[in-house]
């Protein structure tokens, strides 16, 4: 068995030890009869015929079975490399598709010293969000992230926004920049949570004066994001004044972000529209398997838009009347409702 660097590389392309030795023997001869290759590689003649067919399929050799006796010829190295490169390139779309679906979530943690970097991280988080952005962004920074916020709204992301340190009576045009927005005269930390996973937290002092010595943090840790969201809705959201609420969507459909489903259900019910909901998830009972509920949305409990009617700051729930009874539906990690939803499909009744 050859232990040369070339042999190692060939094994990385899926050739076994015997296949590698056989191919290297063919290379050394350039072209030879099966019996000659078998003798020099220390394998049977039948094996040479068998492996030569496989090597030909991969572009390594050409089998001249029109000659008597049959000969096997090594293809020029440039052709072999070209064939391998094409095969690798052909794998790229499938590799990228599968990687995007199964890549592990990064557990990154970054200390940020400059507010310029904070601004860049805010834009990055908004740009990369697929479902939800919960954010407090200083009024002075709004213009710098307006394009990213507008793009997020256009691709169907829920944007819940506080603009701190500004007068609610003098609010900007927020149509197309947020789903729901509030303003607050008092300063508050810059906070962004994207898709309930990636978060940024910068103290007020970083945005109010340069060289403060304060530090911001950015992290991608799913178990910490709910803490930031809880602080946002528990400590700041109730004190801010509502200045913008989007209109009910004309294109209801599937929501994997539960807060987004709750917002749209609230807006439609308040406008007098009846809604049906198909809810996929599981009952909040130990040992219960995944299931599905289908029925009429009869109530919403929420604190996203005024007037609020939830019993604690992060409560968002749908009440769905089905043929088998009426259920309260909560989102991810629901614990007081009857059912934890992973997907909600909202539809207008026929």
């Amino acid at each position: 068995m050859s232990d040369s660097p070339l042999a190692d590389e060939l094994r990385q392309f899926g050739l076994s030890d015997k296949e590698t030795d056989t191919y290297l023997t063919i290379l050394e001869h350039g072209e030879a009869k099966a019996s000659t290759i078998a003798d020099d590689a220390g394998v049977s003649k039948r094996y040479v015929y068998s492996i030569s067919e496989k090597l030909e399929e991969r572009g390594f050799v050409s089998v001249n079975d029109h000659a008597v006796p049959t000969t096997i010829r090594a293809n020029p190295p440039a052709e072999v490399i070209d064939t391998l490169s094409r095969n690798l390139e052909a794998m790229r779309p499938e590799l990228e598709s599968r990687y995007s679906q199964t890549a592990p979530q990064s557990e990154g943690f970054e200390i940020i010293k400059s507010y310029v970097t904070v601004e860049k991280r805010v834009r990055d988080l908004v740009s990369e969000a697929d479902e939800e952005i919960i954010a407090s962004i200083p009024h002075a920074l709004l213009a710098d992230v307006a394009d990213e916020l507008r793009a997020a709204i256009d691709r169907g992301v829920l944007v819940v926004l506080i603009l701190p340190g500004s007068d609610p009576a003098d609010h900007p045009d927020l149509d197309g920049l947020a789903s729901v927005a509030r303003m607050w005269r008092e300063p508050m930390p810059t906070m962004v949570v994207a898709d309930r996973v990636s978060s940024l937290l910068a103290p007020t002092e970083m945005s109010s004066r340069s060289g403060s010595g304060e530090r911001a943090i950015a992290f991608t840790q799913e178990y910490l994001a709910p803490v930031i969201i809880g602080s946002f809705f528990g400590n700041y959201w109730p004190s801010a004044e509502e200045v913008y609420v989007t209109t009910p969507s004309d294109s209801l459909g599937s929501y994997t972000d539960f807060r987004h489903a709750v917002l749209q259900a609230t807006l439609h019910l308040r406008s007098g529209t009846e809604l049906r909901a198909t809810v996929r998830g599981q009952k909040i009972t130990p040992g219960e398997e995944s299931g599905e509920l289908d029925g009429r949305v009869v109530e919403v409990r929420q604190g996203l838009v005024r007037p609020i009617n939830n019993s604690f700051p992060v409560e968002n729930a749908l009440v769905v009347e089905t043929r088998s009874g009426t259920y309260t539906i909560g989102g991810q990690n629901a614990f007081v409702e009857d059912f934890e939803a992973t997907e909600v499909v909202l539809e207008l009744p026929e």
Side-chain angles (χ1 to χ4, degrees):
M1 182 180 70
S2 175
D3 292 320
S4 69
L6 176 57
D8 291 337
E9 296 295 331
L10 289 170
R11 293 185 191 104
Q12 302 228 3
F13 277 97
L15 271 64
S16 67
D17 292 338
K18 287 177 67 175
E19 290 170 344
T20 298
D21 288 344
T22 304
Y23 175 57
L24 291 177
T25 301
I26 298 170
L27 272 177
E28 291 171 359
H29 284 281
E31 184 173 7
K33 297 182 295 184
S35 57
T36 302
I37 296 167
D39 291 341
D40 290 353
V43 296
S44 69
K45 187 176 176 181
R46 178 176 295 179
Y47 178 81
V48 172
Y49 282 122
S50 174
I51 196 57
S52 293
E53 291 179 1
K54 295 180 181 179
L55 291 173
E56 186 175 41
E57 290 175 0
R58 299 183 190 182
F60 287 99
V61 304
S62 296
V63 178
N64 184 8
D65 51 10
H66 298 293
V68 179
T70 296
T71 60
I72 299 118
R73 176 176 56 83
N75 288 336
E79 291 183 12
V80 175
I81 297 300
D82 185 57
T83 300
L84 291 175
S85 298
R86 288 199 306 272
N87 290 341
L88 287 172
E89 194 61 33
M91 292 169 59
R92 182 193 295 272
E94 183 68 14
L95 286 172
E96 290 180 342
S97 172
R98 290 178 179 269
Y99 180 79
S100 67
Q101 296 172 27
T102 62
Q105 189 70 58
S106 169
E107 293 288 320
F109 189 91
E110 178 185 11
I111 302 296
I112 302 173
K113 300 179 181 180
S114 163
Y115 199 73
V116 172
T117 305
V118 170
E119 294 174 359
K120 182 179 185 305
R121 295 292 179 270
V122 170
R123 288 194 296 270
D124 290 344
L125 287 172
V126 173
S127 296
E128 294 167 5
D130 293 320
E131 296 184 342
E132 176 186 89
I133 298 164
I134 306 295
S136 68
I137 298 175
H139 193 181
L141 180 56
L142 180 63
D144 294 328
V145 298
D147 289 344
E148 287 80 6
L149 288 170
R150 190 172 291 107
I153 291 292
D154 287 345
R155 64 178 181 269
V157 175
L158 173 71
V159 178
V160 180
L161 179 66
I162 294 180
L163 296 176
S166 52
D167 187 351
D170 188 28
H171 65 82
D173 181 7
L174 295 169
D175 186 27
L177 298 181
S179 307
V180 183
R182 295 187 179 188
M183 296 183 73
W184 194 25
R185 289 181 175 85
E186 302 300 323
M188 66 176 284
T190 300
M191 306 166 67
V192 181
V193 182
D195 293 339
R196 305 175 300 281
V197 175
S198 301
S199 307
L200 178 140
L201 183 61
T204 305
E205 292 78 6
M206 282 193 77
S207 60
S208 60
R209 65 181 188 273
S210 60
S212 66
E214 300 290 339
R215 299 290 183 263
I217 56 172
F219 48 90
T220 306
Q221 295 178 335
E222 191 170 0
Y223 63 91
L224 287 178
V227 177
I228 306 300
I229 293 173
S231 176
F232 180 94
F233 283 112
N235 299 326
Y236 301 105
W237 191 249
S239 301
E241 183 176 331
E242 186 173 280
V243 295
Y244 176 78
V245 178
T246 189
T247 56
S249 173
D250 293 330
S251 56
L252 292 171
S254 173
Y255 298 88
T256 52
D257 181 77
F258 190 71
R259 266 182 287 267
H260 204 165
V262 166
L263 174 62
Q264 284 301 322
T266 300
L267 298 179
H268 278 276
L269 289 182
R270 288 184 180 180
S271 67
T273 305
E274 289 191 4
L275 285 180
R276 292 197 64 82
T278 301
V279 184
R280 299 182 179 95
Q282 61 184 12
K283 289 184 179 179
I284 304 176
T285 304
E288 286 284 351
E289 296 182 354
S290 298
E292 183 173 297
L293 296 176
D294 180 79
R296 185 170 63 95
V297 181
V298 295
E299 185 185 348
V300 180
R301 300 171 189 169
Q302 57 82 40
L304 293 169
V305 294
R306 298 189 187 279
I308 67 172
N309 65 342
N310 56 3
S311 55
F312 55 92
V314 294
E315 181 186 20
N316 292 285
L318 301 175
V319 182
V320 177
E321 183 181 74
T322 73
R323 291 182 178 180
S324 60
T326 300
Y327 297 88
T328 55
I329 314 297
Q332 185 180 30
N333 300 319
F335 59 96
V336 299
E337 292 82 14
D338 301 317
F339 200 87
E340 178 185 8
T342 56
E343 181 186 11
V344 176
V345 180
L346 296 177
E347 299 174 297
L348 299 175
E350 297 179 356

